[in-house]
Amino acid sequence: MKISARRVDKATILDVSGNIDMSNSPEVRKALLRELREKGVTRVVLNLTGVAYIDSSGVASLVEGLKASRESGSRFVLFGLNDSAREVLKISRLLKLFEVYDDETQAIAS
Amino acid sequence: MEMLGFSEEHNRAIIRAVDEAVSNIMRHSYHGRLDQPIEVYCNRLQRRTNGETEQGVEILLFDCGPAVDTTKLQARSLDEIKPGGLGLHIIRGSMDTVQYKRAGRLNRLRLVKYAQSSTGECGSTEEKPQ
């Protein structure tokens, strides 16, 4: 799994590729909390286009990002979810809680 | 799996359930030890529903960890938004049947999925442990 950050306007986009599972989900959590809590970025966009699979520990990291964004009054947005990622969020009854967009343009413009 | 009539969505559901089950065994039964055995068996099943035969798959996972406290097999409420405790929900939401049983010195987790079943929120049926 690889994760990198870039700035677009006032947002930070985190590009993730590979599977997000119990071996690396703490890295995703750490990257999200660094942007949302430490840097105080007002909008964090998670690009999941390159993510094939997310397990429950990965979902937990996303939930931590969501909670941190609510606590700090910032926004946490997802885009590029494949069918597998949507299904695991749906089963966890979390899909409707996240702001989810199809592509980066929509996620930035939202 | 395609030979049994499983769709791509069903295949993903089965993979997801087995992955979560193995993760749970590694985390809770073996407390993160990586040198412990997990045995996985796959069996083909059939059932008759409304006069039609449905193909299915049964997956059995065995581990040598201590007996599971079945009171802890109750998945937490999803009404509260918090990380953690989602694995069991994901397993149950992905499969038709999820059963735990202590078999001698082994823990046995039985997962069943039929090709015509629906996958989705709370789509599983919890059968009584054997």
Side-chain angles (χ1 to χ4, degrees):
Chain A
M1 192 274 296
K2 292 182 179 177
I3 185 165
S4 59
R6 57 190 164 96
R7 291 283 288 188
V8 176
D9 298 329
K10 293 181 179 178
T12 293
I13 299 181
L14 294 172
D15 299 301
V16 188
S17 60
N19 295 340
I20 304 177
D21 56 30
M22 64 186 292
S23 71
N24 54 39
S25 58
E27 293 177 49
V28 176
R29 174 185 179 274
K30 189 176 175 182
L32 288 172
L33 297 185
R34 182 171 55 237
E35 298 298 323
L36 290 162
R37 285 186 181 158
E38 297 173 23
K39 294 185 179 178
V41 175
T42 55
R43 181 185 299 197
V44 174
V45 179
L46 193 64
N47 175 9
L48 296 170
T49 307
V51 173
Y53 180 76
I54 305 176
D55 76 356
S56 61
S57 70
V59 173
S61 295
L62 301 188
V63 171
E64 291 226 44
L66 180 66
K67 292 188 74 173
S69 70
R70 289 181 173 183
E71 289 165 5
S72 62
S74 52
R75 291 178 66 187
F76 176 43
V77 178
L78 312 177
F79 79 89
L81 282 71
N82 65 9
D83 289 339
S84 177
R86 284 182 183 273
E87 286 161 6
V88 76
L89 289 177
K90 186 179 178 185
I91 289 172
S92 307
R93 291 195 215 162
L94 293 166
L95 188 58
K96 292 178 180 175
L97 294 178
F98 286 99
E99 282 191 70
V100 179
Y101 297 94
D102 291 335
D103 55 41
E104 182 172 325
T105 303
Q106 291 179 13
I108 295 294
S110 64
Chain B
M1 291 296 187
E2 287 83 358
M3 290 174 60
L4 298 179
F6 283 102
S7 65
E8 284 295 318
E9 183 180 355
H10 282 163
N11 288 341
R12 288 194 297 271
I14 294 165
I15 291 167
R16 192 164 50 230
V18 173
D19 178 56
E20 294 292 344
V22 170
S23 294
N24 275 352
I25 291 169
M26 292 170 65
R27 187 181 297 133
H28 300 297
S29 196
Y30 291 144
H31 304 288
R33 287 186 61 181
L34 301 177
D35 59 348
Q36 298 299 298
I38 300 172
E39 293 187 15
V40 182
Y41 298 89
C42 236
N43 299 310
R44 186 173 175 173
L45 298 179
Q46 286 186 336
R47 73 177 177 187
R48 297 283 292 175
T49 304
N50 298 326
E52 294 187 3
T53 301
E54 286 185 342
Q55 303 293 327
V57 64
E58 173 192 59
I59 298 161
L60 302 172
L61 297 100
F62 292 91
D63 70 76
C64 304
V68 174
D69 180 354
T70 52
T71 62
K72 293 182 178 177
L73 291 179
Q74 303 302 314
R76 70 167 175 82
S77 169
L78 292 178
D79 294 334
E80 188 180 359
I81 303 168
K82 66 177 186 180
L86 294 170
L88 202 50
H89 272 293
I90 291 172
I91 294 170
R92 288 178 173 158
S94 300
M95 304 300 285
D96 295 323
T97 299
V98 179
Q99 295 174 324
Y100 166 77
K101 172 184 172 182
R102 185 70 175 172
R105 293 183 174 183
L106 302 175
N107 293 308
R108 190 198 77 163
L109 186 66
R110 178 174 181 258
L111 309 176
V112 175
K113 182 82 170 173
Y114 286 96
Q116 300 302 315
S117 62
S118 62
T119 298
E121 193 173 305
C122 300
S124 67
T125 301
E126 185 74 12
E127 295 181 3
K128 290 181 180 178
Q130 294 178 341

